[in-house]
Amino acid sequence: MVKSKEVAEMSPLQTAIKAEQLSLLFKAMASSSFAATINAAILTFMLWDVIRHDYLIGWLTVLLLATFGRLLLSHFYQRDQAKVENSHRWGSYFSAGTILAGICWGSASLLLFASQSVVHQVFLAFVVGGMGAGAITSLSPQKLPILTFLSLTVLPLSLRFVIEATPMAYAMGFMLFLFWIILVISSLRIHHNFTQNISLRLESQRQRDELEKSENRFRELFENNRCVELIIDPDDGAIIAANRAAEAFYGYSLDQLLTMTISDINMLSHAEVAAEMQQAKSEGRNHFIFQHRLASGEERDVEVYSGPLHWNGKKVLYSIIHDITARVKAEDQLRKLSQAIEQAGESIVITDREGIIEYVNPAFSLITGHAAEDVMGESPRLLKSGRQSLAFYEELWQTILSGEVWKRTLIERRKDGSLYPASMSIAPIFNEEHEITHFVGIQQDMSDHQELENKFRQAQKMEAIGTLVGGIAHDFNNMLGGMTGNLYLAKKRMGDFPDVVHRLEVVESLSYRASDMIKQLLMFARKGVLEMRPFGLTSFIKEVSKINEVSIPENITFKTHFCQEELVVNGDATQLHQALINLLNNARDAVAKVAEPQVSLSLDEFEADAAFKHLYPSMSGTLFARLTVSDNGCGINKEEQEHIFEPFYTSKEVGTGTGLGLAMVYGAIESHGGIVDVESSPGEGSSFYIYLPLLEEKQSVTSPEDSDAIISGRGETILVVDDNADIRKSTKEVLESIGYKVLEASDGLEAVEIFAASHRSIACVLMDVVMPRLGGVKAVERMCTIDPDVNVIFTTGYDKEDALKGEMPSADYLILSKPCHIEMLSRVIREQLDG
């Protein structure tokens, strides 16, 4: 049991050493048995005459039997093939045989010791010592057999010499004992060498076996690995080895790959490839992203892990290659998606299922004013404005928790407390099991959109007013034209009655003011023709200020401030004058009930900053003329400010306002490419700002003032064509009163007939544009076939743009709007006739 336990506790190497030692012992047994038999025979022969024959024969027989037994033991050991698991059993057998042999040779000291012959004693010592010395080489692989054999063989003879008690015997006994010590020491040293050699040989064999197994495993892994693997010489980039996956991936056979270099498949230049290989060889880097070209010419993105490896005594690069083309495309798509979200103009918020914010894009911070780090882990409730009901949000949650997309418009609150309209879309995000894990909300700031809608509604209202005004303008202007003509004739005939003439002039003035009102309405609705030209706004406003200052009551303090530089704008002076009058009139009315009323008018140059451009993105340019009309009156509340530029909207008492003043201002300034802004608070007064784009040139264009004198005719014949009989009659009488002859026609057809008969005597045709049967433009075309040099002056009570659009044969014809001042009519006719 003890032996079995000891064997069980031995290491595999110790067990293998024991087995190898035993194998050496059994291998040496044949030669040692042969030597023992020869020495025994020689010893028997030499002692035959001095030792009893029965002793010799008995000893020799026992020795030969023991030797034969050991040979049989060796035979059976070889047949058993020296199994390691049987080493202990065979070791026991060998030890028993060795002990038997040692006893046999040790017994020779007692049975074969020739007391009467010193020579034979020495010879016996020589043979026994020789057997001991010879046993060292055959029995030293194990310690116990050699020590046992030497002790059983040499020590009995040494003791026998001592028993003889003679000086010679003492010397021989002592020498044998010393010889035994030397043999023991030598056997132990030889045993150590045997053991060490066996251990080294077994360890070397084990290492070779392990290396072979490792190489076989590596070869198996290398060949059958599904990853692409290459062994590369870093000195020249040659491919030393490649596995089956490399053949399948690159499309080359193994023989082809082994004739190639890594530069043949890497898209980098040779120098770049060499530099990367040196990085891998020096272990500066082990991870690379490359593009490799396949045998088909296709280029694939690859991820390479490469490092140094000793291969057949040379330092090479072992590279594992993964095809990441799909991953690169997916990452590129993910990067584009991420950039799209980061750079989107709409606010994007991602929350978990409970509505806790996990991500916001930069647009969220831009729109709401909340920094991203401040809202992480918070709820979107921080944007609630209180303008939506609890049911509104309950409907939201029910929708998105059911897996549907929720879309609505709502009012949100920024960090600074200001409110803004928003269009919101919230959609659930599902995982692979179609479970809702997150929500994504996309919000668009609708402030600009709402502003555009407001402008669109304003434009619609203006268009409606324009349509209404355009419809009545013709008849209204025709009636005014008839009135002004008859008033002129009445004034002429009542020259001896100054009071009557004054009354007629008042009526005439009111008629022209009514005409101007129609023009203002047309301009407001953008249906009139603006006479745009560059002029000095600074000088103009100064003159207008002086003229209108007299209309402001003396109890109102009127202050002005104008810049020194002449600001040149492109515009219609009449329209701007009317706009300024409307603003000053409103300011005058606003301070009517103030204890210390004040009205101010200022003009300065304004350079647009970033805030101004953001507020008015449609405005181009940087420099503007800013006209400001301020008062300290009653002011305007926020609700009314949203409607003050709408047509017919007024906050004044019934009978004190038409609701068209600010609407006309708005339309006039917008038609000049400018903007109107207002700042006002109830009880603190109001300030209206007009911004007009400045021209780069500093010289203004002025037109000569119209002359008030009437230019008489010289007896020329004028054909007056108009479908309104009253206008024809009054126009005829007016023209005849200033020295012209007049022919009349009620429409275009009649005019053409008269012109065909009398064109040689007709110096000028005063032609209405819109008439029944044949209009003025078509009639003139027919007249031109009769006389190409016919002089024509068109007149119209319609909006010029709408009435004449696409009908004028050329831009050379003059067009007069009804009613027309007699002075202007006389001057225009004279200029036309004098050509």
Side-chain angles (χ1 to χ4, degrees):
M1 289 295 294
V2 175
K3 287 291 184 179
S4 300
K5 183 178 181 181
E6 291 178 356
V7 172
E9 292 177 351
M10 291 173 62
S11 67
L13 178 61
Q14 291 174 328
T15 303
I17 291 174
K18 290 291 183 182
E20 188 67 18
Q21 290 172 337
L22 189 62
S23 176
L24 291 175
L25 290 173
F26 275 106
K27 286 180 180 179
M29 187 176 289
S31 59
S32 63
S33 297
F34 178 75
T37 301
I38 296 298
N39 286 334
I42 292 173
L43 182 61
T44 301
F45 177 76
M46 293 300 296
L47 297 177
W48 186 259
D49 294 330
V50 294
I51 300 300
R52 291 175 52 178
H53 292 174
D54 56 340
Y55 284 2
L56 287 172
I57 293 170
W59 176 83
L60 181 62
T61 300
V62 172
L63 181 64
L64 291 175
L65 288 173
T67 301
F68 180 73
R70 292 182 67 206
L71 289 174
L72 286 176
L73 187 64
S74 176
H75 171 73
F76 287 119
Y77 173 81
Q78 296 297 332
R79 194 177 66 177
D80 195 40
Q81 297 181 346
K83 295 179 180 179
V84 174
E85 58 269 20
N86 295 330
S87 295
H88 177 70
R89 178 166 56 87
W90 286 107
S92 300
Y93 294 159
F94 185 86
S95 296
T98 302
I99 291 172
L100 180 61
I103 292 173
C104 288
W105 285 103
S107 63
S109 302
L110 300 175
L111 298 175
L112 305 181
F113 189 82
S115 301
Q116 67 278 18
S117 174
V118 175
V119 173
H120 287 87
Q121 293 174 6
V122 172
F123 183 77
L124 176 62
F126 176 77
V127 172
V128 172
M131 284 302 299
I136 291 177
T137 57
S138 60
L139 297 179
S140 289
Q142 282 193 352
K143 192 184 296 183
L144 180 63
I146 184 62
L147 293 178
T148 303
F149 186 78
L150 290 177
S151 298
L152 293 174
T153 302
V154 178
L155 287 180
L157 183 58
S158 175
L159 183 61
R160 183 69 178 84
F161 274 111
V162 172
I163 293 173
E164 286 294 313
T166 64
M168 182 66 179
Y170 280 131
M172 288 296 294
F174 181 70
M175 289 180 62
L176 280 175
F177 183 72
L178 289 178
F179 183 66
W180 176 79
I181 293 174
I182 292 171
L183 289 178
V184 169
I185 294 172
S186 298
S187 66
L188 290 175
R189 183 178 298 145
I190 292 172
H191 168 74
H192 175 73
N193 291 337
F194 266 117
T195 303
Q196 189 175 39
N197 290 336
I198 292 171
S199 176
L200 290 174
R201 180 163 52 82
L202 289 176
E203 181 63 22
S204 177
Q205 182 63 40
R206 185 190 67 79
Q207 290 179 354
R208 285 197 300 272
D209 292 343
E210 290 294 327
L211 180 61
E212 183 177 358
K213 291 178 181 179
S214 176
E215 289 179 350
N216 290 335
R217 285 195 300 268
F218 174 78
R219 175 63 60 184
E220 183 71 17
L221 290 172
F222 181 79
E223 291 293 336
N224 298 324
N225 198 330
R226 294 185 178 182
C227 296
V228 176
E229 296 181 331
L230 297 176
I231 306 296
I232 302 168
D233 187 341
D235 296 332
D236 57 8
I239 298 175
I240 301 173
N243 65 351
R244 297 187 185 94
E247 294 183 79
F249 176 67
Y250 290 110
Y252 295 106
S253 66
L254 179 61
D255 294 337
Q256 289 175 314
L257 285 172
L258 297 182
T259 62
M260 299 169 64
T261 66
I262 193 63
S263 296
D264 295 331
I265 57 178
N266 199 311
M267 299 297 295
L268 296 179
S269 65
H270 289 277
E272 290 173 321
V273 171
E276 298 290 4
M277 285 193 296
Q278 290 305 314
Q279 284 281 329
K281 182 180 179 181
S282 64
E283 300 188 58
R285 284 178 62 193
N286 62 1
H287 179 252
F288 306 86
I289 301 294
F290 294 130
Q291 281 191 320
H292 282 185
R293 183 188 294 109
L294 310 184
S296 63
E298 181 183 358
E299 298 175 4
R300 306 287 288 183
D301 295 295
V302 295
E303 183 178 44
V304 180
Y305 291 90
S306 185
L309 175 73
H310 289 280
W311 178 280
N312 297 328
K314 182 177 177 63
K315 194 174 185 179
V316 298
L317 293 178
Y318 173 48
S319 298
I320 300 176
I321 301 161
H322 301 282
D323 182 7
I324 60 170
T325 305
R327 192 182 84 189
V328 168
K329 290 181 179 179
E331 289 175 350
D332 184 57
Q333 291 179 348
L334 183 61
R335 183 168 53 256
K336 290 178 182 177
L337 178 60
S338 176
Q339 291 174 347
I341 293 175
E342 286 289 311
Q343 300 173 19
E346 290 76 22
S347 164
I348 299 177
V349 179
I350 298 177
T351 73
D352 62 14
R353 184 181 172 86
E354 305 304 321
I356 302 303
I357 297 175
E358 294 184 357
Y359 167 84
V360 295
N361 69 340
F364 172 87
S365 300
L366 186 64
I367 293 174
T368 67
H370 291 281
E373 57 271 17
D374 295 337
V375 300
M376 292 301 169
E378 299 292 333
S379 169
R381 285 192 294 270
L382 55 87
L383 300 178
K384 288 181 66 173
S385 63
R387 296 294 184 90
Q388 288 77 228
S389 65
L390 180 61
F392 179 89
Y393 292 104
E394 290 178 350
E395 188 264 342
L396 183 158
W397 277 104
Q398 290 176 1
T399 301
I400 60 178
L401 288 176
S402 65
E404 298 179 1
V405 179
W406 180 88
K407 293 181 180 179
R408 284 288 184 87
T409 57
L410 68 166
I411 303 297
E412 296 280 55
R413 184 184 301 276
R414 296 186 178 92
K415 185 177 181 179
D416 60 8
S418 61
L419 304 181
Y420 66 98
S423 176
M424 173 71 82
S425 173
I426 303 178
I429 300 176
F430 300 93
N431 60 13
E432 292 79 3
E433 287 76 28
H434 203 69
E435 298 172 341
I436 297 176
T437 61
H438 293 78
F439 298 105
V440 56
I442 301 176
Q443 185 186 94
Q444 182 180 9
D445 184 356
M446 300 298 290
S447 299
D448 292 340
H449 181 76
Q450 191 177 68
E451 180 65 22
L452 289 175
E453 285 187 344
N454 293 336
K455 289 183 177 181
F456 177 70
R457 284 194 293 269
Q458 179 75 358
Q460 285 182 317
K461 294 175 182 177
M462 292 169 62
E463 184 177 0
I465 297 299
T467 302
L468 173 63
V469 173
I472 66 173
H474 175 261
D475 293 338
F476 197 66
N477 283 333
N478 278 340
M479 288 185 284
L480 290 175
M483 288 173 59
T484 55
N486 284 290
L487 287 170
Y488 170 77
L489 295 174
K491 284 193 303 178
K492 232 180 150 181
R493 295 179 182 179
M494 300 301 292
D496 296 335
F497 301 94
D499 292 340
V500 176
V501 172
H502 175 69
R503 300 295 182 185
L504 292 175
E505 287 177 348
V506 171
V507 175
E508 183 181 38
S509 176
L510 291 173
S511 299
Y512 285 120
R513 285 184 63 183
S515 176
D516 288 339
M517 176 70 74
I518 294 296
K519 291 180 181 179
Q520 289 289 332
L521 289 171
L522 288 173
M523 292 298 179
F524 158 70
R526 293 189 179 182
K527 287 185 172 291
V529 178
L530 292 173
E531 298 181 5
M532 304 289 285
R533 63 175 179 271
F535 68 95
L537 185 63
T538 306
S539 302
F540 174 76
I541 294 299
K542 287 180 180 179
E543 293 299 324
V544 172
S545 173
K546 292 178 182 178
I547 295 172
N548 287 275
E549 189 172 356
V550 298
S551 65
I552 298 177
E554 294 181 357
N555 66 315
I556 298 176
T557 302
F558 183 59
K559 297 180 180 181
T560 59
H561 174 75
F562 307 114
C563 60
Q564 297 298 320
E565 186 179 4
E566 186 68 79
L567 304 180
V568 180
V569 298
N570 187 49
D572 187 318
T574 304
Q575 291 296 309
L576 295 179
H577 185 186
Q578 186 65 46
L580 181 57
I581 290 174
N582 287 337
L583 291 178
L584 290 174
N585 288 340
N586 282 348
R588 181 195 61 202
D589 296 339
V591 299
K593 299 181 180 180
V594 177
E596 297 180 357
Q598 292 182 2
V599 174
S600 64
L601 172 64
S602 65
L603 177 67
D604 62 346
E605 184 175 340
F606 175 78
E607 183 174 358
D609 56 13
F612 183 86
K613 292 181 178 179
H614 177 72
L615 190 60
Y616 304 105
S618 61
M619 295 297 292
S620 59
T622 303
L623 296 178
F624 297 86
R626 177 170 61 182
L627 183 64
T628 307
V629 177
S630 301
D631 64 71
N632 64 341
C634 58
I636 310 170
N637 59 43
K638 291 291 185 182
E639 289 73 16
E640 290 180 343
Q641 287 182 35
E642 297 178 0
H643 304 285
I644 58 176
F645 295 112
E646 296 178 2
F648 304 119
Y649 179 83
T650 180
S651 60
K652 299 180 182 179
E653 297 177 0
V654 178
T656 60
T658 63
L660 290 175
L662 288 179
M664 287 182 178
V665 172
Y666 181 89
I669 300 306
E670 192 174 34
S671 65
H672 282 72
I675 56 174
V676 184
D677 194 13
V678 60
E679 291 181 0
S680 183
S681 297
E684 297 182 6
S686 304
S687 292
F688 285 84
Y689 301 94
I690 293 177
Y691 297 90
L692 296 173
L694 285 179
L695 297 179
E696 294 183 2
E697 64 268 16
K698 298 299 182 182
Q699 292 183 351
S700 60
V701 179
T702 58
S703 59
E705 294 183 1
D706 295 337
S707 175
D708 293 335
I710 294 178
I711 303 176
S712 301
R714 302 171 186 168
E716 295 95 333
T717 300
I718 297 177
L719 175 59
V720 177
V721 186
D722 200 302
D723 62 321
N724 189 301
D726 292 333
I727 291 178
R728 284 199 313 272
K729 183 177 180 181
S730 63
T731 303
K732 177 182 177 182
E733 293 180 4
V734 169
L735 291 177
E736 287 177 342
S737 70
I738 61 176
Y740 292 102
K741 297 177 182 179
V742 179
L743 299 175
E744 295 182 60
S746 60
D747 55 40
L749 286 178
E750 185 179 356
V752 172
E753 294 174 358
I754 295 173
F755 186 78
S758 309
H759 69 274
R760 296 185 186 275
S761 62
I762 296 175
C764 182
V765 179
L766 202 59
M767 178 73 72
D768 190 17
V769 176
V770 180
M771 294 179 293
R773 296 209 298 171
L774 185 65
V777 176
K778 297 296 184 182
V780 170
E781 290 178 359
R782 297 187 185 184
M783 289 179 181
C784 287
T785 61
I786 300 171
D787 183 359
D789 297 327
V790 59
N791 286 324
V792 178
I793 299 173
F794 283 102
T795 64
T796 181
Y798 285 108
D799 167 39
K800 296 177 184 179
E801 289 288 332
D802 286 349
L804 305 181
K805 188 184 299 182
E807 295 187 9
M808 289 298 292
S810 70
D812 299 330
Y813 294 96
L814 291 174
I815 307 171
L816 296 179
S817 295
K818 303 176 186 177
C820 179
H821 289 270
I822 305 302
E823 294 82 3
M824 179 185 288
L825 178 62
S826 67
R827 187 179 69 251
V828 170
I829 293 175
R830 190 72 261 163
E831 290 175 353
Q832 187 76 358
L833 293 177
D834 294 342

